[in-house]
Amino acid sequence: MTAGVGVWLGLGLVLLTGLCQGNSVERKIYIPLNSTAPCVRLLNATHQIGCQSSRNGDTGVIHLVEKEDDLTWVLETGPTPPYVVLLEGSLFNKAILQKLKDSSRVSGIAVSYTKPPPAEGFSLDVKCPSDGFGLYTSERGSQYAHCNGTVWNPLGTGFSYEDFSFPIFLLQSENETEVIKQCYRDHNIPGNDSKPHYPLCAMQLLSHMHAVTSSATCMRRNSIQMSFSINPEVVCDSLADYNIWSLLKPTNISGTIPPEEQVVMSAVRVDSRSFFWNLAPAAEGTVSALVTQLAAAEALHKVKDTQSLPRNIMFTFFQGEVFDYIGSSRMVYDMQKGRFPVRLNNIHSFVEISQVALRNNSVLWIHSDPLSRANETVNTEVQDMIRILKAASKGANVTVEEVEQSQALPPASFQRFLRAQKIPGVVLTDHKDAYHNKYYNSMYDTAETIKMEYPSGLPQEEALEYVTETAQALSEVATLLAKTLYQLAGGNDTVDIKADPHTVTRMLYGFLVKSNNSWFQSISRPDWKDALENKQPQYYVTASQNGNKRPPTIPTRLLMSVLANITGQVVNFTKEECQNPDKAPDSKKELYDYIWVQGPLTGNTTSREPFCIRSTMHNHFAESPANDLNDWGSTEYSTWTESRWKEIKARIFLIPSQELEIITLLTGLAVLIISFCATYFINAKADILFTSTEDSGSAAY
């Protein structure tokens, strides 16, 4: 018996040794790909979109597709399916994706990132963004529904809203892409007999999604798990973040403001998306308007008499707008329920800034809603807004023109407010009809596409202060916006208001090039240092954790830091008082928000001079009202959710021939059987094999 235990102990030690060395063995077999962006699954009220792998990942032999003719090997003649297609970014289009999607010989796609972006444009979004969730529907303004008359995103293919049964990954690193290509050249190129020789280079893509069917289905499963499971496993989460808003004049926000107080509302969106998860550079689609509004807010806060204006000005930054207006619909919903300090009746007028970086001949277009303008009072007020805009453009390098009054509004947050109430308002864009943005909601909507150009070899600190042509152009739009808002709030047209192009260029650098720079470092909270990266932020709205509020996303933290800095005031509060205004004398926390920031570096040292900023900036949780109503089949509110997953990874390795795999399996089985027989024999004969040779008899004396 003792011998048997010894044998099993020996085997256990061998297995333990193997487990301890498992990581090193894995490193010898696999080459991990660390710079990838996956396509993930999203769901709404009716269906699912995106991609997923099988539970253990999908594996296939790599085949490089550099031209369309290379598809024949993958789809028809290749002898070793399934294939993982290494697709050149220039071929990542609807026609080729459709062919790969329809083939049973494809187990995944790895797309290489293309620089420069395709000259003809690239947008996998739909031609009519957020169709059905804005103002125009079959029941209201049907003549304008479904982009009748104006197709806003004509280059859109809609493939971001397709469902794929295999994983698709973007390869973001040129070095990793070259490693894969070299592996393909060394092992997978066919020989003289038109067949590749083993071993072959293969890739495994793992992105298994937990949610299926629709948001209603996955939320129901969440509810069941939370109710009956000891260890609930949530399968999907609603998309959510924070709207950020700020008032020009401090106002008590502990309740709702009086009905007689009027507010001029200025709005932009903060988010974007692309085909791949957390990859949304959004230079033209989001950042151009975001920076413009921030610069206008700074310019107005510098004007001395703003506190005596008849009306207040509210700067609003909406999150989740690309997913059927999550942020704006939530704010309207809370206004109607009395959960927000400002009510719909308090809104005097509404100005929204959309895509404004690609103006032709410096022309800025004014869009308005033909339905609300059928009301004589609203029409008169809109005409007055247009007059103010045109007057404010005089002397500036901005030409303001109005589109035809019969044309519908482009996709805009303003549409959600108009669904609730007729409000005089306009949307300002660089396009009259179809978007000038050829890369709408795609990975190619980068700083380069809005012509942000710096001299070669310019150091970071100098680039941070270098006023590009784009920065100068956006500062002019910001000046126009600031003057317009000031006059809508009751100010006169003689006050000199000018946006600072140096602030604009700093913001563009931080929001589109590199957030980890000296300015962003000095204005950020110490506990938000992780938001600063040596690359540009991505403007993808995150998923809430089963309805719970999460910390703001990285772009929202950066926005809050910038907004507080350019519109707030430094106050002489200690760190404890700043972070806990209840402990500070006369903090007026019902009027102000406080933020403790790192401050600039002290001389040439690494120490900083932190300080406290007081501002009128506030946040507002932006989650679809469908979550409050528990109505995930809603056609009124956004129902987008994001599936959960356990692991996302990609790796390459060599695979042997099927014959060698069979031989290896049979050899392993033979060794296993022999081992069991040997163990059985040793245990059965243990009393003979391990008997002591010493004489056990009694000794005679």
Side-chain angles (χ1 to χ4, degrees):
M1 190 67 178
T2 304
V5 172
V7 171
W8 285 111
L9 182 59
L11 288 173
L13 290 172
V14 171
L15 288 173
L16 183 60
T17 303
L19 288 173
C20 293
Q21 295 178 347
N23 286 336
S24 61
V25 172
E26 182 176 349
R27 285 196 295 271
K28 292 177 182 177
I29 297 174
Y30 299 103
I31 298 177
L33 305 173
N34 300 315
S35 298
T36 62
C39 161
V40 304
R41 174 165 290 166
L42 296 162
L43 310 99
N44 66 8
T46 57
H47 61 288
Q48 63 188 32
I49 65 172
C51 320
Q52 81 149 356
S53 72
S54 58
R55 185 174 297 276
N56 296 315
D58 290 330
T59 300
V61 175
I62 297 171
H63 189 74
L64 177 61
V65 176
E66 295 179 300
K67 55 186 184 299
E68 194 164 350
D69 290 345
D70 295 336
L71 287 173
T72 304
W73 182 270
V74 174
L75 303 178
E76 299 174 16
T77 61
T80 55
Y83 289 97
V84 170
V85 176
L86 177 56
L87 187 66
E88 286 293 323
S90 58
L91 297 178
F92 188 50
N93 58 51
K94 180 178 181 180
I96 290 179
L97 270 178
Q98 190 64 58
K99 290 179 182 179
L100 296 174
K101 181 181 179 183
D102 294 339
S103 174
S104 60
R105 292 164 56 90
V106 176
S107 60
I109 303 174
V111 184
S112 63
Y113 189 86
T114 296
K115 288 183 179 181
E120 67 276 12
F122 179 88
S123 176
L124 297 185
D125 208 286
V126 293
K127 296 181 183 295
C128 189
S130 298
D131 185 25
F133 287 86
L135 178 61
Y136 311 113
T137 64
S138 301
E139 294 77 29
R140 182 195 303 107
S142 58
Q143 67 271 36
Y144 306 112
H146 316 305
C147 292
N148 286 338
T150 307
V151 178
W152 299 107
N153 186 34
L155 294 176
T157 63
F159 254 64
S160 282
Y161 291 86
E162 293 279 338
D163 184 38
F164 293 85
S165 59
F166 52 75
I168 304 178
F169 279 55
L170 178 71
L171 304 173
Q172 296 177 282
S173 167
E174 292 182 10
N175 292 336
E176 288 187 350
T177 303
E178 186 54 38
V179 168
I180 300 170
K181 288 183 178 180
Q182 191 59 48
C183 186
Y184 166 80
R185 296 186 195 106
D186 292 343
H187 299 280
N188 292 11
I189 294 180
N192 293 331
D193 58 356
S194 297
K195 288 186 178 181
H197 300 293
Y198 288 95
L200 299 178
C201 189
M203 183 181 294
Q204 182 188 45
L205 301 175
L206 174 61
S207 59
H208 180 65
M209 302 285 120
H210 293 178
V212 294
T213 309
S214 67
S215 291
T217 301
C218 78
M219 284 298 180
R220 184 172 64 250
R221 290 177 179 174
N222 283 354
S223 179
I224 293 171
Q225 285 281 329
M226 297 300 290
S227 300
F228 299 106
S229 176
I230 298 175
N231 297 308
E233 186 169 326
V234 175
V235 296
C236 72
D237 298 291
S238 61
L239 297 174
D241 196 18
Y242 293 86
N243 296 327
I244 305 301
W245 61 285
S246 174
L247 291 164
L248 185 61
K249 296 190 291 183
T251 301
N252 191 332
I253 63 167
S254 57
T256 55
I257 66 175
E260 64 274 8
E261 289 191 21
Q262 294 290 287
V263 172
V264 177
M265 199 164 180
S266 181
V268 295
R269 83 176 197 185
V270 183
D271 67 306
S272 183
R273 67 167 300 217
S274 73
F275 186 83
F276 299 102
W277 182 76
N278 200 30
L279 186 63
E284 161 74 341
T286 296
V287 176
S288 64
L290 173 68
V291 166
T292 299
Q293 177 156 288
L294 285 168
E298 180 192 41
L300 284 170
H301 274 268
K302 290 179 179 179
V303 178
K304 294 180 180 180
D305 70 340
T306 52
Q307 300 305 305
S308 60
L309 290 174
R311 305 180 191 95
N312 210 338
I313 299 175
M314 178 177 169
F315 300 99
T316 313
F317 303 84
F318 292 118
Q319 270 286 9
E321 295 302 274
V322 73
F323 291 103
D324 298 337
Y325 308 115
I326 291 175
S328 55
S329 62
R330 182 58 187 236
M331 184 170 283
V332 171
Y333 177 80
D334 286 347
M335 284 180 172
Q336 291 173 317
K337 297 292 184 182
R339 301 174 184 171
F340 192 80
V342 179
R343 300 286 191 97
L344 289 171
N345 289 334
N346 296 117
I347 301 175
H348 169 268
S349 49
F350 197 109
V351 180
E352 181 166 355
I353 310 296
S354 188
Q355 305 173 62
V356 291
L358 300 176
R359 289 181 291 144
N360 286 338
N361 300 319
S362 300
V363 175
L364 196 66
W365 291 95
I366 306 173
H367 301 260
S368 59
D369 167 45
L371 296 182
S372 58
R373 290 188 69 174
N375 179 289
E376 186 176 345
T377 303
V378 172
N379 184 52
T380 300
E381 292 175 339
V382 171
Q383 287 177 339
D384 191 50
M385 294 179 72
I386 295 171
R387 177 190 59 77
I388 291 173
L389 275 162
K390 290 183 175 180
S393 69
K394 292 178 181 178
N397 189 24
V398 181
T399 303
V400 177
E401 295 188 22
E402 181 186 2
V403 302
E404 292 82 359
Q405 189 172 331
S406 59
Q407 182 175 298
L409 281 171
S413 305
F414 182 39
Q415 292 197 29
R416 291 300 306 192
F417 286 80
L418 287 173
R419 280 180 72 133
Q421 185 167 302
K422 290 183 174 63
I423 299 172
V426 296
V427 177
L428 304 179
T429 71
D430 56 20
H431 54 88
K432 180 181 180 182
D433 35 52
Y435 294 160
H436 290 170
N437 185 4
K438 297 190 296 182
Y439 308 103
Y440 177 75
N441 280 355
S442 83
M443 56 191 175
Y444 295 119
D445 189 7
T446 60
E448 290 78 13
T449 62
I450 62 171
K451 303 175 183 177
M452 270 182 61
E453 299 172 351
Y454 297 91
S456 179
L458 193 66
Q460 175 183 312
E461 287 306 309
E462 293 182 27
L464 186 61
E465 302 296 336
Y466 181 81
V467 179
T468 62
E469 291 184 10
T470 302
Q472 183 62 46
L474 290 179
S475 69
E476 290 162 356
V477 178
T479 297
L480 169 71
L481 175 62
K483 289 181 177 179
T484 301
L485 295 174
Y486 182 79
Q487 292 183 49
L488 288 173
N492 60 62
D493 58 1
T494 61
V495 175
D496 184 31
I497 302 174
K498 185 174 177 61
D500 186 355
H502 289 90
T503 301
V504 174
T505 208
R506 283 180 168 188
M507 290 190 289
L508 285 174
Y509 187 87
F511 284 129
L512 289 178
V513 180
K514 184 179 179 181
S515 60
N516 189 21
N517 59 70
S518 59
W519 188 52
F520 273 41
Q521 289 168 4
S522 67
I523 64 175
S524 296
R525 284 171 35 171
D527 57 331
W528 284 359
K529 287 188 292 186
D530 62 327
L532 304 176
E533 301 177 290
N534 292 323
K535 58 184 179 180
Q536 80 148 111
Q538 301 296 328
Y539 297 88
Y540 181 83
V541 67
T542 189
S544 66
Q545 293 294 325
N546 197 29
N548 296 322
K549 296 182 180 181
R550 294 180 61 180
T553 58
I554 286 177
T556 304
R557 295 181 206 178
L558 298 178
L559 165 61
M560 294 172 70
S561 299
V562 172
L563 181 60
N565 180 267
I566 63 177
T567 64
Q569 295 177 324
V570 177
V571 292
N572 189 25
F573 280 13
T574 65
K575 180 179 180 179
E576 185 179 12
E577 291 173 336
C578 192
Q579 295 177 339
N580 299 280
D582 289 333
K583 299 180 179 180
D586 196 30
S587 64
K588 299 180 180 177
K589 65 176 185 176
E590 70 279 0
L591 302 178
Y592 298 105
D593 181 81
Y594 294 85
I595 179 171
W596 182 259
V597 300
Q598 295 187 102
L601 291 171
T602 307
N604 295 324
T605 68
T606 57
S607 61
R608 294 184 175 274
E609 297 179 355
F611 54 89
C612 184
I613 295 178
R614 181 178 71 184
S615 71
T616 58
M617 178 190 69
H618 309 282
N619 63 59
H620 170 248
F621 189 51
E623 184 179 47
S624 173
N627 187 67
D628 261 22
L629 300 170
N630 197 26
D631 182 12
W632 292 104
S634 173
T635 57
E636 172 72 13
Y637 298 112
S638 171
T639 55
W640 285 107
T641 57
E642 182 182 88
S643 174
R644 284 200 183 182
W645 58 83
K646 276 194 169 69
E647 189 176 14
I648 299 284
K649 70 178 180 181
R651 57 189 183 179
I652 62 173
F653 55 97
L654 296 179
I655 57 172
S657 65
Q658 190 173 15
E659 291 80 4
L660 182 57
E661 288 180 328
I662 293 173
I663 291 172
T664 303
L665 175 63
L666 293 176
T667 303
L669 289 174
V671 171
L672 179 65
I673 292 169
I674 293 170
S675 298
F676 274 119
C677 291
T679 302
Y680 176 79
F681 175 78
I682 292 171
N683 270 317
K685 303 297 182 179
D687 55 336
I688 298 173
L689 294 174
F690 301 105
T691 300
S692 174
T693 58
E694 294 181 2
D695 187 2
S696 57
S698 302
Y701 294 97

